[in-house]
Amino acid sequence: MRGVIARAWADASLSAAVAGFVAVLVGYTSSVAIVFQAAQALGASPAQTASWMWALGLAMGISCIGLSLRWRLPVLTAWSTPGAALLAATQGVGIAEATGAFVVCALLITAAGLTRTFERVMDKVPMAVAAALLAGVLARFGLDAVGAMRTAPGLVGTMALAFLIGRRFWPRYAVPGVLAAGMAVAWVQGRMGGLGSTTAGTLALWAQPVWTTPRFTLSAIVGVALPLFIVTMASQNLPGVAAQRAAGYRTPISPVITATGLVTLVLAPFGAYAINLAAITAAICMGREAHEDPDRRYMASVAAGVIYTLLGLAGAAVAGVLSAFPRELVAAVAGLALLGTIAGGLATALKDEHHRDAAAL
């Protein structure tokens, strides 16, 4: 253990820490509202909703830190955003029945990892198609950054200028420079005025885990567990693996999928409905902006895991801190941080003429 800690400390860097923070910022602000809607749709009380954030934060934090240190690879996990959207649209299912469905979904994810079924499917996907899938998923974030110019030209324009200057003179710290420039401009414009009071209020509130005894019903298993499993594997884990491979990392898929299933299983009674590999936020931790040395980028995922854990302990109140960042700032920093990954994905996708049509489609 001492050797692992010493190696991690030696590999730590400011750029990796900032990349981890940006990944968490983008992940939370883009989908935390959907998670709240999902909890409310299932009839969760305020205490149970806070427990959901506690469980999800700990599940992501533990898995990010553990998996990244285990293989020294940037393995970033996330909650299932399409899964949350599915739950938010669910009707007629109570919180206890839904919790039973979470347990069944976790067992299915674990089985997919243990039997290596999912890995065998991914082994048949050509690299060009995987890279195209990643570029397509991330392209929206680049376009959103451009669209943010219409509503906040001064903020986004300054961040773009900081990015260009940073890439020219200090490429390792281009994204930290973009984030710092954006926060400074937003502060001057008075668009982050509530950050101090919100942070103080959040630190005064710590989430308490609330146990919900699972109730297993056929209707919830068929109507919630199976769709949740399918969308998590197809919409989250598949592009997550594509992101790993497009970045040049041969992460052991089956053990990682198994680990996410087990973490979900343990914390499902507290609200962890589905944990999976991240794609969009993982790309931030796997790019050159995290570190020039690919072998040291795993510390970006470790940093994200630490932040996820701290935010999970703060429970539902953490949404107030992250909401202090203007929407345009989040869109711009995400788009600029992912620009290199989008370009790399497109280059890999269209390089092989044999797979070019499939990749373009």
Side-chain angles (χ1 to χ4, degrees), residues 117-146:
T117 303
F118 183 69
E119 183 172 359
R120 284 195 290 269
V121 171
M122 287 302 303
D123 285 341
K124 297 182 182 299
V125 179
M127 176 58 69
V129 175
L133 173 64
L134 176 64
V137 169
L138 301 182
R140 177 174 64 86
F141 289 83
L143 296 174
D144 286 347
V146 176

Side-chain angles (χ1 to χ4, degrees), residues 346-353 356:
L346 287 172
T348 302
L350 303 178
K351 178 176 62 176
D352 185 355
E353 187 175 353
R356 188 170 296 166

Side-chain angles (χ1 to χ4, degrees), residues 330-355:
V330 176
V333 74
L336 292 169
L338 293 169
L339 190 60
T341 304
I342 296 170
L346 287 172
T348 302
L350 303 178
K351 178 176 62 176
D352 185 355
E353 187 175 353
H354 179 68
H355 294 295

